[in-house]
Amino acid sequence: MRLLHALSLASVATAFTHPGLLHTESDFTRIKSKLQANAEPWQTAWYKLTNSTFASPAYTARPQETVYRGKDGTHAENYSTLYKDIAAAYALALQWKITSNATYADAGVAILDSWADTLTGIAGNSDKFLAAGIYGYEFANAAELLRDYDGWDGEKVQAFADMMVRVFYPMNRDFFVRHNDAAVDHYWANWDLCNLASMLSIGVLADNETMFAEAVDYFKNGTGNGRIDRMVWKVYEVDGQVLGQGQEAGRDQGHSMLDFGLLGPIALSAFNQGEDLFAYADNRILAGAEYAAKYNLGHDVPYTTYQNSDVTQAEISTNARGDVRPIWELLYNHYGVLKGLNATWTKQYRDMVVEQGQGAEGGGGDYGSTSGGFDQLGHGTLMYSL
Ligand SMILES: *[C@@H]1O[C@H](CO)[C@@H](O)[C@H](O)[C@H]1NC(C)=O
Ligand SMILES: *[C@@H]1O[C@H](CO)[C@@H](O)[C@H](O)[C@H]1NC(C)=O
Ligand SMILES: *[C@@H]1O[C@H](CO)[C@@H](O)[C@H](O)[C@H]1NC(C)=O
Ligand SMILES: *[C@@H]1O[C@H](CO)[C@@H](O)[C@H](O)[C@H]1NC(C)=O
Ligand SMILES: *[C@@H]1O[C@H](CO)[C@@H](O)[C@H](O)[C@H]1NC(C)=O
Ligand SMILES: *[C@@H]1O[C@H](CO)[C@@H](O)[C@H](O)[C@H]1NC(C)=O
């Protein structure tokens, strides 16, 4: 455990737990024992992972020198190669951690090494910052799981971490500082949140306390819409429960849900390093998740007109209401099971997504082949059920 706030930045010897982003060693101990006992829902969730086309050791990586996301008028977009390769590296890393079979680790490492050797930049239009954020935190997670594999040479591990620090991290930081030269409240919360997730995850992967602290500070006290009290900015008490209106509630529900798909990994990765962002500001993430889940389940929620430099939204958006993403097991298991808090709507949403997944939340490839299906790593039933 770490006492981050008591330390000055940069000056401390690293004290990170590894693996210590979305998953820790004790998670794998639990999952292995559940699978040995053929216990549900882990068994069904395991088959969902192992039957995925992204879980095959025969998967071939397609590393690019420059990843393009968003049309810049000259280059074709090619970012699907990155998000698919990450889904494969992650699925292979999980299988190695659970089975100890080196075939999976070798295949995962081959993907990571190929990108570390090839990738020099992320470009496109403003959407390049979404790529730097979403794929930054996902990629760091795959590497964090494999870093202790004795078949992954220490210098290669370092080369991968260096690539993340060189290519992804500067864009994450630049987005916090400049916000692509827009008004600080212009970009919707998910842009800040994905860059926050990436900075925090790269900090742990690269053992850099400064980056980790920068990300945690931004969550509490940043300038943009990702700061938690701007993201979940209006709280209500309804039926004895606190509900929190999200910054994108008046925009559409797909992005509203994406925000919680990012807040979950941010909070869990920090929690696994001893910093409890789930609890921060009276469980503000839970208040927001409950609001989003309740509305998307078809219930009414209170709404207050949202306004920033660009838009005024007088009503909650019905666009994409009922959006399905594999993001609920993480939130429900932490708040409802581990902390014993009232997570009624989060649980109902989890149940709905699990039912649609025939017994488990799926992962990359199970929610469409376009980017939205890869905005989260998924496999939550296997990884987060307690
Ligand atoms: C695929 O799933 C089925 C059950 O749905 C299971 O019997 C089979 O073993 C799985 N295949 C792999 C490779 O895990
Ligand atoms: C990646 O983008 C570049 C520039 O548009 C292009 O030359 C390359 O073929 C792309 N790669 C893929 C796999 O699309
Ligand atoms: C390891 O996994 C590979 C790929 O699924 C399989 O062919 C091989 O039999 C496994 N090895 C062991 C020792 O289980
Ligand atoms: C950690 O990251 C910060 C911010 O980029 C950098 O200034 C510092 O040199 C890094 N520390 C180490 C030990 O690499
Ligand atoms: C929040 O950030 C401002 C500058 O942006 C700084 O003056 C203030 O001390 C910070 N507060 C905390 C609690 O970190
Ligand atoms: C939990 O929240 C639900 C939904 O708002 C509410 O109906 C229920 O009474 C709450 N339970 C407790 C124990 O507060």
Side-chain angles (χ1 to χ4, degrees):
M1 299 292 269
R2 307 161 60 250
L3 288 169
L4 194 84
H5 46 272
L7 306 173
S8 70
L9 307 188
S11 61
V12 262
T14 114
F16 288 115
T17 300
H18 296 294
L21 288 174
L22 291 175
H23 317 300
T24 63
E25 215 50 62
S26 70
D27 292 326
F28 288 104
T29 303
R30 174 187 70 246
I31 293 159
K32 283 191 271 192
S33 84
K34 297 294 185 188
L35 290 175
Q36 262 154 27
N38 294 318
E40 291 295 355
W42 296 270
Q43 191 61 53
T44 295
W46 171 247
Y47 285 145
K48 191 144 195 120
L49 170 68
T50 54
N51 274 309
S52 156
T53 54
F54 291 95
S56 166
Y59 184 92
T60 306
R62 289 177 299 166
Q64 309 292 322
E65 197 176 315
T66 305
V67 161
Y68 294 94
R69 179 167 177 167
K71 295 192 170 68
D72 65 5
T74 306
H75 303 97
E77 292 183 284
N78 60 8
Y79 68 107
S80 69
T81 61
L82 176 57
Y83 65 64
K84 287 180 181 172
D85 285 8
I86 292 170
Y90 178 69
L92 290 161
L94 291 183
Q95 289 175 100
W96 171 63
K97 290 296 288 179
I98 292 168
T99 66
S100 303
N101 181 335
T103 302
Y104 300 112
D106 289 334
V109 162
I111 296 170
L112 300 180
D113 282 347
S114 74
W115 280 91
D117 290 346
T118 311
L119 184 66
T120 60
I122 301 170
N125 62 17
S126 57
D127 287 5
K128 67 185 175 212
F129 290 108
L130 295 174
I134 297 170
Y135 312 136
Y137 97 81
E138 292 184 348
F139 226 168
N141 266 279
E144 178 73 4
L145 294 175
L146 287 163
R147 66 185 294 150
D148 294 331
Y149 172 49
D150 59 13
W152 198 12
D153 184 82
E155 281 176 20
K156 297 279 196 179
V157 177
Q158 190 61 48
F160 185 86
D162 288 349
M163 180 278 286
M164 297 301 294
V165 169
R166 205 170 52 240
V167 176
F168 289 83
Y169 168 75
M171 292 180 68
N172 305 146
R173 179 137 209 291
D174 179 57
F175 193 75
F176 284 178
V177 174
R178 252 182 356 103
H179 287 95
N180 203 28
D181 296 329
V184 75
D185 63 358
H186 169 79
Y187 282 96
W188 297 101
N190 74 85
W191 294 69
D192 262 1
L193 293 175
C194 67
N195 282 288
L196 204 171
S198 179
M199 184 183 285
L200 188 136
S201 302
I202 294 171
V204 172
L205 179 71
D207 280 313
N208 187 312
E209 295 261 353
T210 310
M211 289 182 195
F212 183 88
E214 240 182 322
V216 170
D217 281 354
Y218 198 92
F219 178 89
K220 297 178 177 174
N221 192 34
T223 55
N225 289 320
R227 167 179 161 155
I228 190 63
D229 62 0
R230 299 204 178 126
M231 163 54 214
V232 181
W233 66 278
K234 177 80 186 168
V235 292
Y236 309 90
E237 196 166 316
V238 179
D239 299 334
Q241 201 195 12
V242 179
L243 299 180
Q245 181 176 328
Q247 196 258 341
E248 306 203 49
R251 181 190 183 194
D252 65 67
Q253 298 309 315
H255 289 97
S256 291
M257 297 307 224
L258 171 60
D259 290 332
F260 293 94
L262 294 164
L263 283 166
I266 288 167
L268 183 55
S269 304
F271 186 78
N272 284 335
Q273 299 297 340
E275 173 80 38
D276 193 351
L277 300 181
F278 285 112
Y280 187 76
D282 298 323
N283 303 301
R284 188 64 74 93
I285 297 173
L286 175 63
E290 286 287 281
Y291 178 102
K294 185 175 182 181
Y295 180 67
N296 280 276
L297 284 162
H299 302 285
D300 290 335
V301 290
Y303 181 85
T304 301
T305 295
Y306 174 76
Q307 195 159 23
N308 65 21
S309 306
D310 306 309
V311 297
T312 299
Q313 295 168 329
E315 283 174 28
I316 195 165
S317 175
T318 57
N319 189 347
R321 193 176 189 182
D323 177 74
V324 171
R325 291 172 186 262
I327 62 176
W328 298 96
E329 291 278 22
L330 189 168
L331 293 163
Y332 174 64
N333 280 285
H334 185 85
Y335 281 119
V337 181
L338 185 67
K339 297 260 180 79
L341 297 170
N342 191 343
T344 299
W345 308 110
T346 298
K347 178 176 187 304
Q348 279 189 33
Y349 221 84
R350 187 282 306 264
D351 292 346
M352 188 265 279
V353 173
V354 164
E355 194 184 318
Q356 284 196 18
Q358 296 174 322
E361 282 184 351
D366 294 325
Y367 298 86
S369 61
T370 55
S371 66
F374 295 81
D375 284 346
Q376 51 281 313
L377 289 164
H379 296 298
T381 304
L382 180 65
M383 300 313 299
Y384 306 119
S385 296
L386 295 173

